[in-house]
Amino acid sequence: MYTELNLDLQAFAKRVYDSILYQSTFYNFLNMAYIGELRQTGAPVIEIAKTDDLEVNVRETKEIQSRLNPALVTYGRTVVDLTELNMDYSIRVPMMITGSDIANAIQDAADLEDAAIAEEIDEYGYGKLASANIEEKEWNPATKDDYINLLNSLKADLFNKKITRDYRIGLGATEYANFVSALTSILKFETPEGVRGVTMGEVAFIYGISAFEINDNVLDGVVGYFFNPIAVVGDTFMSAFVQHNNPQGFPGYTVLEGTVSFGAAVVKPTAILRLVEEVSA
């Protein structure tokens, strides 16, 4: 990826983006139709145009006996601003590091910067979910069977709202550990997920639901969320990535800098449920 001290900035930005996708747990919430491709050009927004629901006319007879009244197709429009969170991407590496070591030094510094960016995105994203107008459901299981009953109840809730697939649950780290222990004791060691739960301490997919762990510190009193990713739209926008060798003020260094912006919005609140120990009155 590197040629001496001259970076392929396009490839570097793509590497940063892929790293953020991997490290940010909030990206699990985002509609996959709008992520995965590096955004560097054009307006830093995602525009969503959706056809509104249409009514179906039901006749009493097979024959058409009256004038047809075609339904008017209307559209809803939502614009998600990708510049609500703006972060500096800046790393500085001594030029005295030579040969392949310079590539390793830049890689190490970039890894640390990527992790910090992902943490900021998670802070922003979970704060966005906490302030959104989302239906709350009680999550306070006392027994192993309670976990199964709660999962089935949450699935039924979304299914009855015509959200019929791709169910996901994200739980805070402490509750996720309890969740894995409870399910593993039910699944036993004979099943692949049981083996994974015992040996790796995680249950990635169970009862048609993808599960993942969230840092407790970003949830702020919330146990977690049950959702389909059509609920949330957002992404990262990269801009102004440049490299400087021996820049003024930093002689003897290679400096790489740019701007990483992020934005997201809950666009379909019916497709996400906030899980709390006790539903507020």
Side-chain angles (χ1 to χ4, degrees), residues 90-105:
S90 181
I91 56 177
R92 177 162 51 102
V93 180
M95 295 181 68
M96 67 179 64
I97 301 175
T98 59
S100 62
D101 288 342
I102 186 64
N104 295 330

Side-chain angles (χ1 to χ4, degrees), residues 183-185 187-200 202-203 206:
L183 292 182
T184 299
S185 65
L187 296 169
K188 307 301 182 185
F189 202 69
E190 290 80 8
T191 66
E193 284 298 337
V195 172
R196 187 183 182 93
V198 171
T199 59
M200 301 180 66
E202 62 182 43
V203 174
I206 189 68

Side-chain angles (χ1 to χ4, degrees), residues 12-171:
F12 186 86
K14 183 63 168 65
R15 190 211 64 81
V16 171
Y17 180 67
D18 290 343
S19 178
I20 291 172
L21 259 67
Y22 177 76
Q23 297 191 63
S24 167
T25 61
F26 183 68
Y27 258 91
N28 289 309
F29 287 83
L30 300 184
N31 190 326
M32 296 182 65
Y34 299 98
I35 64 174
E37 296 295 329
L38 180 64
R39 297 177 184 270
Q40 283 187 300
T41 59
V45 299
I46 296 175
E47 185 172 353
I48 307 162
K50 294 290 186 181
T51 305
D52 296 332
D53 290 340
L54 298 177
E55 294 184 359
V56 176
N57 179 48
V58 179
R59 299 197 307 269
E60 295 183 358
T61 62
K62 178 181 177 182
E63 295 78 16
I64 299 175
Q65 297 179 337
S66 60
R67 179 176 63 87
L68 294 179
N69 186 22
L72 175 64
V73 177
T74 58
Y75 298 89
R77 179 176 176 270
T78 301
V79 176
V80 179
D81 182 5
L82 301 184
T83 63
E84 289 191 348
L85 175 66
N86 299 292
M87 299 161 282
D88 292 333
Y89 194 100
S90 181
I91 56 177
R92 177 162 51 102
V93 180
M95 295 181 68
M96 67 179 64
I97 301 175
T98 59
S100 62
D101 288 342
I102 186 64
N104 295 330
I106 292 175
Q107 184 68 60
D108 289 345
D111 288 343
L112 293 173
E113 190 79 349
D114 297 347
I117 294 282
E119 288 179 9
E120 292 294 335
I121 288 174
D122 284 351
E123 288 276 358
Y124 161 89
Y126 291 110
K128 199 81 170 176
L129 294 181
S131 63
N133 185 18
I134 296 172
E135 183 181 358
E136 294 185 346
K137 290 289 183 178
E138 183 176 303
W139 179 278
N140 195 14
T143 67
K144 300 170 185 177
D145 289 340
D146 285 347
Y147 281 95
I148 306 302
N149 293 334
L150 281 168
L151 290 176
N152 289 336
S153 176
L154 294 170
K155 281 179 63 177
D157 190 293
L158 290 194
F159 187 87
N160 291 335
K161 296 174 182 175
K162 301 179 182 180
I163 312 297
T164 60
R165 61 177 63 86
D166 198 3
Y167 302 116
R168 303 183 186 185
I169 186 169
L171 296 170

Side-chain angles (χ1 to χ4, degrees), residues 244-266:
H244 306 285
N245 294 327
N246 280 311
Q248 186 175 359
F250 296 103
Y253 287 90
T254 288
V255 175
L256 179 68
E257 58 185 3
T259 298
V260 178
S261 301
F262 186 85
V266 177

